[in-house]
Amino acid sequence: MVSLLEKAAAQPRALTHRELAEVLAWPDASALFNAAYDVKCRHVGRRVAFRGLVEFGNVCEKDCFYCGIRRGNANVRRYRMDADAIVRAAEWVCKAGYGSVVLQSGELTGEENAAFVEGVLRRIVAVAGDGFGITLSLGEQTEETYRRWREAGAHRYLLRIETSNRELYARLHPADHSWERRRDCLGALRRCGYQVGTGVMCGLPGQTTDDLASDIEFFAAEDVDMIGMGPYIPHPDTPLGRGVPWTPADAKDRLELGLRMIAATRLYLHDVNIAAATALQALDPEGREKGLLAGANVMMPNVTENQYRADYQLYAGKPCLDENASVCRACLERRIAAIGEEILWNARGDSPHWKSRLDG
Ligand code: SAM
Ligand code: SF4
């Protein structure tokens, strides 16, 4: 009899909802990870694409209950890098051979912010050239703003839906945060010609395996090109994380769930880019490498200047707070070589799914 893992590996989107939930809870985790790794090797090889992550500001208009830099957290020292500093960071990423940069920040809307980001994008394209990938992760914006930024040189956009379960979403956000608006943003991004990425947090309070299976089906229904997801990690200064006890066993369980989610997503979707999120490394020093071995193919080394890193803490235990980008680069090279993977230098590392979508 063909096992569910073989069925999933043979063809994308081959599993029913029930089967997907069964795969997520597969008793032999190594077998699950190995099956997903084989599918990844078939589509992208034993290769990992890098995107240098610049966390350029922690000022946010929103108040998500789980996030350490939410508007309501008065314990955060707020910062916003100026345009020169962001362009310098992107230039460093380009010269380091990473091939792509991710610009991420708290969510700010309005003309001043739209014009600021547009100006930064034009300057990055001028110094790094059009072959250099630019991903944005700046939250919900109007379609006009998304279009403006796309025209200024951004190629990809990452907007996590956080959970596909609307009721759970409502419990994790204030009443004026809308799941539907976030979902509609994914459509707008698509219309503007971005490679579109979404994702969820896993291990949220009240979230079930069924929810996670629905999350993966949501990725498929939205036909996204890239997935950036990771374990939820409580932050003590947030409504959701306050007073939550934390033990090494919790870290281990959350890591395993994150890896299972990567593997099941790879087995269901086959050819999308999947990032090994930094949150995995917060739970285990080798968490991101484990993510690559469970089916992820993208890593986002943090290149944010040291002086800001501690002020961009979404969750407790953020790694590499006192390491600069050059140290991270050397450390990553060693880590990738140790698991027998190759770094895709000086390449944008576009999603194979996006390429086949373009080819029709
Ligand atoms: N503000 C933009 C947005 O929300 O799309 C981009 C930056 S936001 C910090 C990036 C992601 O961080 C969110 O989509 C969320 O999934 C993740 N995040 C926030 N708090 C987290 C936590 N406590 N544990 C794990 N991930 C978290
Ligand atoms: Fe702001 Fe994003 Fe954090 Fe929500 S997740 S509070 S939008 S930075």
Side-chain angles (χ1 to χ4, degrees):
M1 199 182 83
V2 180
S3 88
L4 277 188
L5 296 185
E6 287 168 311
K7 181 176 170 185
Q11 189 180 329
R13 306 178 185 212
L15 304 178
T16 63
H17 178 81
R18 195 84 337 270
E19 289 171 337
L20 194 47
E22 243 182 88
V23 162
L24 272 163
W26 201 254
D28 179 353
S30 304
L32 169 64
F33 301 156
N34 289 340
Y37 192 69
D38 286 348
V39 172
K40 160 185 146 170
C41 291
R42 234 169 42 223
H43 288 278
V44 294
R46 298 183 70 173
R47 283 197 293 253
V48 50
F50 277 2
R51 287 93 172 79
L53 174 64
V54 185
E55 297 160 336
F56 72 82
N58 65 0
V59 185
C60 188
E61 290 171 5
K62 296 184 86 183
D63 225 5
C64 311
F65 294 155
Y66 43 81
C67 177
I69 63 170
R70 65 197 294 270
R71 187 183 67 212
N73 184 2
N75 296 333
V76 176
R77 187 174 53 177
R78 302 288 167 176
Y79 73 91
R80 191 168 191 206
M81 284 165 58
D82 64 23
D84 287 351
I86 303 171
V87 175
R88 245 193 339 266
E91 211 176 345
W92 186 92
V93 170
C94 183
K95 288 202 175 124
Y98 286 3
S100 276
V101 71
V102 179
L103 303 182
Q104 190 180 81
S105 76
E107 187 173 304
L108 290 177
T109 53
E111 172 54 29
E112 193 194 328
N113 182 62
F116 174 80
V117 173
E118 181 183 359
V120 165
L121 289 169
R122 293 198 189 281
R123 286 182 57 187
I124 294 175
V125 173
V127 294
D130 194 39
F132 181 61
I134 308 179
T135 305
L136 298 179
S137 174
L138 307 177
E140 296 162 35
Q141 305 287 339
T142 62
E143 184 157 346
E144 190 199 334
T145 299
Y146 286 145
R147 179 155 295 112
R148 214 163 137 183
W149 293 346
R150 175 80 186 97
E151 283 166 5
H155 303 99
R156 302 185 275 241
Y157 204 105
L158 181 63
L159 183 75
R160 287 183 176 180
I161 192 70
E162 313 298 2
T163 170
S164 61
N165 179 334
R166 295 169 204 217
E167 283 159 29
L168 179 57
Y169 186 94
R171 292 203 295 275
L172 302 173
H173 298 91
D176 62 350
H177 293 31
S178 153
W179 185 92
E180 283 76 13
R181 193 166 62 228
R182 209 159 171 87
R183 193 257 336 264
D184 291 349
C185 282
L186 294 174
L189 288 164
R190 187 62 175 271
R191 287 192 291 279
C192 294
Y194 285 91
Q195 291 177 50
V196 179
T198 193
V200 293
M201 285 177 286
C202 47
L204 290 162
Q207 191 180 42
T208 63
T209 306
D210 236 14
D211 287 330
L212 294 175
S214 300
D215 290 342
I216 298 175
E217 289 169 320
F218 175 87
F219 305 155
E222 291 291 322
D223 201 21
V224 291
D225 305 303
M226 355 182 266
I227 313 287
M229 61 189 168
Y232 160 64
I233 304 177
H235 187 297
D237 292 337
T238 59
L240 204 67
R242 195 165 295 133
V244 172
W246 187 251
T247 66
D250 292 327
K252 195 166 162 283
D253 291 350
R254 279 175 198 273
L255 174 75
E256 178 163 332
L257 186 63
L259 298 176
R260 283 177 175 273
M261 216 23 207
I262 289 175
T265 302
R266 175 64 70 196
L267 281 167
Y268 195 67
L269 295 179
H270 283 209
D271 63 353
V272 292
N273 273 353
I274 304 180
T278 313
L280 296 172
Q281 195 193 1
L283 297 172
D284 175 338
E286 288 172 9
R288 287 182 304 179
E289 292 84 321
K290 290 180 179 170
L292 294 176
L293 293 173
N297 67 313
V298 171
M299 243 196 216
M300 299 179 8
N302 196 338
V303 301
T304 312
E305 286 174 39
N306 283 26
Q307 56 172 314
Y308 300 122
R309 289 191 189 198
D311 297 324
Y312 198 91
Q313 294 209 55
L314 312 178
Y315 42 76
K318 180 180 181 178
C320 301
L321 284 182
D322 52 5
E323 280 173 20
N324 67 34
S326 314
V327 172
C328 285
R329 184 183 192 273
C331 160
L332 273 171
E333 274 186 67
R334 265 195 319 275
R335 285 162 173 268
I336 301 296
I339 59 165
E341 292 236 325
E342 193 190 313
I343 298 166
L344 208 56
W345 293 114
N346 295 303
R348 244 166 52 172
D350 288 326
S351 151
H353 184 76
W354 173 74
K355 287 184 190 150
S356 58
R357 197 151 69 66
L358 284 191
D359 295 343

